Amino acid sequence: MAVCARLCGVGPSRGCRRRQQRRGPAETAAADSEPDTDPEEECIEAGAAALSGAGGGRSAGPSPPPRCSLLELPPELLVEIFASLPGTDLPSLAQVCTKFRRILHTDTIWRRRCREVLHRYRHILGLWQPDIGPYGGLLNVVVDGLFIIGWMYLPPHDPHVNDPMRFKPLFRIHLMERKSATVECMYGHRGPHNGHIQIVKKDEFSTKCNQTDHHRMSGGRQEEFRTWLREEWGRTLEDIFHEHMQELILMKFIYTSQYDNCLTYRRIYLPPSHPDDLIRPGLFKGTYGSHGLEIVMLSFHGKHARGTKITGDPNIPAGQQTVEIDLMHRIQLPDVENLRNFNELSRIVLEVREQVRQEQQQQEDGPEDAEGCSRQSPQEPQRGPAQPTVEPPAEKGSEPGDGGAAAAAEQPVESGQGQPFVLPLGVSSRNEDYPRTCRMCFYGTGLIAGHGFTSPERTPGVFILFDEDRFGFIWLELKSFSLYSRVQATFRNADAPSPQAFEEMLKNIQSLTS
């Protein structure tokens, strides 16, 4: 029996005053091509007419009041009626006629089902970060027809940072009878099987698989590793010639596979936005050298911007601040020829670092000096090369600092007036397909550390803003470049209830790996 109950708006049926908002182009075209009445509807209406005319020969007595068919009711009223029915009746109802099927695509019906049938699970909708040691992750829990599904979002295969995100289901909750639901584990390649979800507290829940034998493959661990490698990296181990990269990949497989989808998740929020932000905050995919692509959250905090790792690695784990951008200290790129000189770039950045150090010292020495500094406008751009992001810490990683766009707004770059950009000679990059023009550059610092997050330290670098959806960071000490591209997916139920709640969330996920 087909289930026609995906989360969409009401379709274009007769008299419908709400339009579909979430249906894809192909689905919308198919729905629009359906006739407003179909044979099933005509049969229903014909039967109603026959019944009403069965006693047509009688003239005595008052005529019966006109009867109203369900098909004649407005869609809004049908939504209310259908939402009150048991969940197991809805698939059958969807097969009655086209109009009913369209009405059952309504978002309101299934959100109410979540509240009534899955009242104990309604708090798990939204974004979550799994506790998988240093690796983290991004889980999006959504309502999808008769199910609540937990989708794990994965970066594209390295180094294709501009490709869309990948995703796979980890669990689903099947909406059954009123007040009952079935939890299924979706991990592995043998289909859904028995699972369990425990709500630890409002912003934390855990999953458990009750049939982990479904995760095993007939070829043993070797086949499981080869399959995981194709899914995770899009290649075989023989295709990876870098020995250190092979070690990192094998280490991740061994570490993550031991959980068998028995994980604890903690809620995360998308960063709040402000009109004077440098660009729209949000989630980005970034290149991190031998560690591959990782997910970073860019947020703005007054005079600083921060990049927080949502996924991480053994050097800089998830939850840590990978880069920090000082929006009060602009760097102006030189001409392309001078920009190729890494020593020139290094000299300019180190001069800015010394200037920042002196300003911080003045603030510590006297309140009057500190007040004077706080009233100053952003520093004039420093002449010198600036480059985008960092290369992943094979031995080190980067950590985010606060950021805000107000300072940058005081030094606008005219629309369309981009500056030429090339990477300095000697700076390595996982992806050579980076933009050749940029809007502006800022002084920043990146967090680097040894394996196991040992001896972490902030080192100077350059933040390069390419456009609304891409930025980069050059790590001077690592002589590497990281390119970041915006995650274009739309996430619901992911907004922080307040700026304070978002700040508290950042502190919590950072403390777990500190």
Side-chain angles (χ1 to χ4, degrees):
M1 187 185 308
V3 177
C4 299
R6 292 179 297 276
L7 272 183
C8 303
V10 177
S13 57
R14 288 180 301 171
C16 180
R17 292 192 291 271
R18 298 175 58 193
R19 309 300 296 176
Q20 293 185 0
Q21 297 177 349
R22 297 185 56 196
R23 179 179 293 175
E27 295 176 78
T28 303
D32 289 343
S33 66
E34 295 180 1
D36 285 341
T37 60
D38 60 16
E40 296 164 336
E41 291 187 26
E42 292 174 355
C43 289
I44 294 174
E45 292 172 349
L51 288 174
S52 62
R58 302 174 186 173
S59 58
S63 60
R67 297 185 179 182
C68 179
S69 167
L70 277 176
L71 292 171
E72 298 173 356
L73 296 178
E76 292 84 354
L77 186 54
L78 289 176
V79 167
E80 294 299 317
I81 294 173
F82 294 169
S84 65
L85 298 176
T88 51
D89 293 345
L90 300 185
S92 300
L93 188 61
Q95 293 186 335
V96 171
C97 64
T98 301
K99 183 173 183 178
F100 286 5
R101 186 164 62 249
R102 288 173 177 168
I103 296 297
L104 285 168
H105 285 163
T106 305
D107 191 20
T108 304
I109 294 176
W110 301 104
R111 292 198 174 281
R112 186 174 300 180
R113 293 294 300 163
C114 284
R115 291 194 298 268
E116 295 177 353
V117 181
L118 298 176
H119 57 89
R120 63 188 181 280
Y121 298 121
R122 69 182 184 273
H123 291 305
I124 73 172
L125 299 180
L127 288 180
W128 302 82
Q129 185 183 53
D131 182 5
I132 313 180
Y135 298 105
L138 179 65
L139 181 82
N140 185 28
V141 182
V142 300
V143 179
D144 187 358
L146 293 177
F147 299 93
I148 287 181
I149 302 180
W151 294 97
M152 180 67 83
Y153 275 68
L154 306 168
H157 292 139
D158 178 63
H160 307 293
V161 70
N162 292 316
D163 286 358
M165 295 283 284
R166 301 173 295 126
F167 45 88
K168 63 179 181 180
L170 291 190
F171 65 83
R172 71 182 185 185
I173 304 169
H174 192 179
L175 313 187
M176 306 293 287
E177 295 288 351
R178 190 182 301 271
K179 302 195 176 176
S180 71
T182 299
V183 177
E184 297 173 317
C185 174
M186 304 290 288
Y187 190 79
H189 297 82
R190 296 170 60 182
H193 45 282
N194 186 258
H196 175 73
I197 290 180
Q198 179 181 1
I199 311 296
V200 180
K201 49 188 176 183
K202 182 179 179 182
D203 293 328
E204 184 176 322
F205 75 93
S206 61
T207 59
K208 180 182 179 181
C209 177
N210 296 328
Q211 294 177 287
T212 56
D213 57 299
H214 280 64
H215 305 169
R216 307 283 79 85
M217 303 185 76
S218 58
R221 293 290 278 175
Q222 288 188 352
E223 182 183 359
E224 293 171 14
F225 174 65
R226 287 194 299 268
T227 302
W228 175 87
L229 187 59
R230 285 194 301 269
E231 295 176 350
E232 186 84 4
W233 290 84
R235 62 182 83 175
T236 65
L237 197 62
E238 291 74 21
D239 297 330
I240 303 171
F241 301 106
H242 196 291
E243 183 177 350
H244 179 62
M245 190 179 219
Q246 291 180 350
E247 293 174 352
L248 291 172
I249 290 173
L250 184 58
M251 182 189 310
K252 184 174 183 179
F253 169 74
I254 294 174
Y255 192 98
T256 58
S257 61
Q258 66 180 335
Y259 284 89
D260 264 335
N261 207 24
C262 299
L263 298 167
T264 297
Y265 297 87
R266 295 177 179 84
R267 184 180 296 279
I268 59 175
Y269 299 114
L270 293 177
S273 60
H274 193 270
D276 63 357
D277 287 340
L278 187 64
I279 59 173
R280 179 166 53 92
L283 297 173
F284 289 79
K285 304 153 287 181
T287 56
Y288 279 87
S290 298
H291 297 293
L293 300 187
E294 299 183 7
I295 303 173
V296 171
M297 178 184 290
L298 179 68
S299 56
F300 292 91
H301 311 260
K303 300 176 182 179
H304 296 83
R306 297 174 183 168
T308 303
K309 282 194 171 187
I310 302 302
T311 63
D313 52 68
N315 294 93
I316 305 298
Q320 295 300 315
Q321 296 178 0
T322 179
V323 292
E324 177 176 0
I325 304 103
D326 187 340
L327 298 175
M328 297 298 290
H329 291 86
R330 285 273 304 274
I331 293 179
Q332 178 65 46
L333 294 179
D335 58 73
V336 173
E337 288 306 315
N338 288 324
L339 182 55
R340 296 181 186 277
N341 188 335
F342 177 80
N343 292 332
E344 176 65 11
L345 170 64
S346 181
R347 180 189 64 80
I348 293 171
V349 174
L350 294 179
E351 286 181 357
V352 178
R353 182 179 68 170
E354 179 60 23
Q355 180 181 347
V356 171
R357 189 194 65 79
Q358 291 178 2
E359 292 173 0
Q360 292 174 343
Q361 187 63 44
Q362 289 176 354
Q363 292 177 353
E364 294 174 359
D365 290 344
E368 294 182 0
D369 291 339
E371 291 176 4
C373 289
S374 64
R375 288 193 297 268
Q376 290 178 356
S377 61
Q379 300 296 320
E380 287 299 318
Q382 300 293 315
R383 296 295 304 183
Q387 318 299 332
T389 61
V390 164
E391 182 128 325
E395 298 179 349
K396 306 192 174 182
S398 40
E399 170 172 304
D402 292 2
E410 297 181 27
Q411 297 184 5
V413 173
E414 296 182 13
S415 177
Q417 299 291 324
Q419 311 174 68
F421 175 81
V422 294
L423 284 175
L425 296 176
V427 173
S428 61
S429 173
R430 294 288 296 175
N431 193 327
E432 294 298 328
D433 185 22
Y434 60 86
R436 291 319 196 256
T437 60
C438 67
R439 290 184 184 177
M440 59 183 74
C441 301
F442 294 89
Y443 172 76
T445 59
L447 181 64
I448 63 177
H451 187 85
F453 197 38
T454 56
S455 305
E457 61 174 319
R458 289 189 179 277
T459 59
V462 182
F463 171 87
I464 300 97
L465 177 64
F466 293 118
D467 52 44
E468 175 68 20
D469 297 323
R470 290 176 298 178
F471 65 87
F473 192 86
I474 289 183
W475 309 68
L476 287 189
E477 184 167 329
L478 301 179
K479 297 186 74 171
S480 65
F481 169 77
S482 295
L483 177 64
Y484 299 83
S485 178
R486 185 182 298 277
V487 174
Q488 298 292 351
T490 300
F491 300 104
R492 305 185 65 174
N493 303 295
D495 294 331
S498 67
Q500 294 75 19
F502 177 77
E503 295 289 346
E504 188 65 25
M505 180 272 297
L506 287 182
K507 293 179 182 177
N508 289 340
I509 64 175
Q510 183 178 4
S511 65
L512 295 174
T513 56
S514 295

